[in-house]
Amino acid sequence: MERTQLFDLMGELKLYGMKAAFDEIMATAVKRQHEPQRIVGDLLNAEINEKQARSIKYQLTIAKLPLAKDLEDFQFEGTPINQTLVNDLAGGGFIAQQRNAVLVGGTGTGKTHMAIAIARSCIRSGARGRFYNVVDLVNRLEIETRNGRQGRIAEHLTRMDFIVLDELGYLPFAQSGGQLLFHLVSRLYERTSIVVTTNLAFGEWPSVFGDAKMTTALLDRLTHHCDIVETGNDSWRFKSRDDDHATRARHVSATPASSDEASATVKTRRSKGSKLDADRRAKLLIYQAMVGRIASSRMLPEN
């Protein structure tokens, strides 16, 4: 059979990977005198690889990631971030275990960068995900409800392996929107892993949702199986901008300028624990925040 006829058949069967690799595989086979079984195997592997690459490209497209960010581009040195934990999340094991992740820290500390990088890595490993800015998602949920089509977004997201909720707390939304987001998280509980980035400590979350009891219930679901990545409060973007000032950078890294920086150093040492330790730490942070800050501001009824 002529080469052109083979190409026509491959095109009809949509064997685009096999078609693209055919000439190279055949040239190598002739040069090295490969057996027919080896040639067929190489052609099939080329087809499988091409289909996987197309699938990853498609999943990256529908994930709606705002930028192309990878962990290789992130500078962990000089931050309180637990790099081992972040790399573990990028490996995708948290999805198989139906765990969540919360990335918490100040503006410019790399939360969104890491969330995107984790998402891209997981998608390359075969996972399906979706990225949302929290306010945009709340607006979608409200529009869906007004149109009498509530539940469709949640149904779609339950078929995802994970979702990213970016920038919780940066912009306020109505209490009705907070309730819709709470119902969505409840629907995804132990079905779809959730990655949240926020600049708020857990005790400040009621200021976003407007209901302390509902916020407590949401945190309980979100952190039941959860890893927490603390990024600190020193802006990574400002640090990158000042990289040329080498002398100043060395001084800052050698001598903490405040008790907050010293505290960040202690947190770095403590953040090397196991996943079980992370769960315990999450619970402790939540209960301390909810009992201390919420009770003192009288957002919960007194006993």
Side-chain angles (χ1 to χ4, degrees), residues 74-204:
F74 192 86
Q75 184 178 347
F76 288 93
E77 185 178 357
T79 73
I81 300 170
N82 185 343
Q83 184 176 359
T84 301
L85 176 56
V86 173
N87 289 334
D88 184 66
L89 292 169
F94 76 103
I95 296 174
Q97 299 169 8
Q98 295 179 324
R99 300 176 64 86
N100 302 318
V102 177
L103 284 67
V104 57
T107 300
T109 55
K111 301 182 299 297
T112 298
H113 183 141
M114 284 187 290
I116 292 173
I118 289 168
R120 284 169 59 85
S121 178
C122 291
I123 290 171
R124 290 193 192 103
S125 298
R128 296 173 298 170
R130 181 68 163 83
F131 182 100
Y132 288 100
N133 175 279
V134 169
V135 174
D136 290 342
L137 176 58
V138 169
N139 289 337
R140 287 170 178 260
L141 293 171
E142 290 180 328
I143 292 172
E144 179 187 61
T145 300
R146 286 198 298 269
N147 293 338
R149 308 174 71 178
Q150 57 267 30
R152 296 198 177 189
I153 292 176
E155 180 63 29
H156 171 67
L157 293 181
T158 57
R159 295 193 290 271
M160 292 287 175
D161 296 306
F162 71 93
I163 65 169
V164 177
L165 302 181
D166 190 41
E167 295 189 339
L168 175 69
Y170 281 82
L171 292 173
F173 43 78
Q175 185 172 349
S176 60
Q179 292 171 346
L180 291 171
L181 187 58
F182 167 74
H183 288 302
L184 174 63
V185 171
S186 298
R187 182 77 179 276
L188 300 180
Y189 177 57
E190 293 190 329
R191 300 180 68 175
T192 300
S193 292
I194 302 173
V195 178
V196 178
T197 73
T198 180
N199 64 332
L200 300 179
F202 288 118
E204 299 173 300

Side-chain angles (χ1 to χ4, degrees), residues 1-299:
M1 185 175 292
E2 296 293 331
R3 176 178 176 276
T4 54
Q5 293 176 301
L6 289 173
F7 275 27
D8 289 340
L9 291 174
M10 291 177 188
E12 188 174 342
L13 293 172
K14 299 182 179 180
L15 300 175
Y16 304 120
M18 188 178 293
K19 183 176 180 180
F22 180 82
D23 287 338
E24 181 180 352
I25 289 174
M26 292 306 298
T28 301
V30 170
K31 182 178 179 180
R32 300 184 179 179
Q33 297 183 345
H34 288 167
E35 296 291 329
Q37 294 91 334
R38 170 71 180 273
I39 298 172
V40 173
D42 289 344
L43 288 170
L44 292 173
N45 282 328
E47 182 62 29
I48 291 171
N49 291 336
E50 196 274 342
K51 277 184 167 54
Q52 290 176 341
R54 265 193 295 143
S55 176
I56 290 171
K57 183 178 180 180
Y58 173 73
Q59 291 299 332
L60 286 171
T61 300
I62 66 173
K64 304 295 183 182
L65 298 172
L67 297 167
K69 298 286 188 179
D70 293 302
L71 291 182
E72 290 78 8
D73 305 321
F74 192 86
Q75 184 178 347
F76 288 93
E77 185 178 357
T79 73
I81 300 170
N82 185 343
Q83 184 176 359
T84 301
L85 176 56
V86 173
N87 289 334
D88 184 66
L89 292 169
F94 76 103
I95 296 174
Q97 299 169 8
Q98 295 179 324
R99 300 176 64 86
N100 302 318
V102 177
L103 284 67
V104 57
T107 300
T109 55
K111 301 182 299 297
T112 298
H113 183 141
M114 284 187 290
I116 292 173
I118 289 168
R120 284 169 59 85
S121 178
C122 291
I123 290 171
R124 290 193 192 103
S125 298
R128 296 173 298 170
R130 181 68 163 83
F131 182 100
Y132 288 100
N133 175 279
V134 169
V135 174
D136 290 342
L137 176 58
V138 169
N139 289 337
R140 287 170 178 260
L141 293 171
E142 290 180 328
I143 292 172
E144 179 187 61
T145 300
R146 286 198 298 269
N147 293 338
R149 308 174 71 178
Q150 57 267 30
R152 296 198 177 189
I153 292 176
E155 180 63 29
H156 171 67
L157 293 181
T158 57
R159 295 193 290 271
M160 292 287 175
D161 296 306
F162 71 93
I163 65 169
V164 177
L165 302 181
D166 190 41
E167 295 189 339
L168 175 69
Y170 281 82
L171 292 173
F173 43 78
Q175 185 172 349
S176 60
Q179 292 171 346
L180 291 171
L181 187 58
F182 167 74
H183 288 302
L184 174 63
V185 171
S186 298
R187 182 77 179 276
L188 300 180
Y189 177 57
E190 293 190 329
R191 300 180 68 175
T192 300
S193 292
I194 302 173
V195 178
V196 178
T197 73
T198 180
N199 64 332
L200 300 179
F202 288 118
E204 299 173 300
W205 284 34
S207 65
V208 175
F209 292 93
D211 185 314
K213 289 185 177 179
M214 182 182 71
T215 305
T216 303
L218 182 144
L219 283 169
D220 186 63
R221 288 165 173 78
L222 184 65
T223 61
H224 182 204
H225 309 291
C226 184
D227 295 305
I228 297 178
V229 178
E230 297 175 83
T231 63
N233 291 310
D234 294 332
S235 172
W236 182 80
R237 286 191 284 269
F238 284 134
K239 284 182 180 180
S240 298
R241 186 187 65 184
D242 294 336
D243 275 346
D244 290 338
H245 304 293
T247 303
R248 180 186 173 198
R250 284 196 299 270
H251 174 73
V252 170
S253 63
T255 307
S258 68
S259 60
D260 289 340
E261 290 183 28
S263 176
T265 303
V266 174
K267 288 180 180 178
T268 304
R269 296 192 188 104
R270 291 177 179 174
S271 64
K272 302 300 184 180
S274 63
K275 287 181 178 294
L276 180 60
D277 292 333
D279 279 343
R280 291 172 178 167
R281 179 173 176 79
K283 290 293 184 181
L284 180 60
L285 284 169
I286 291 164
Y287 291 134
Q288 286 177 338
M290 301 305 289
V291 173
R293 300 194 184 189
I294 297 174
S296 63
S297 61
R298 297 183 182 275
M299 296 188 71

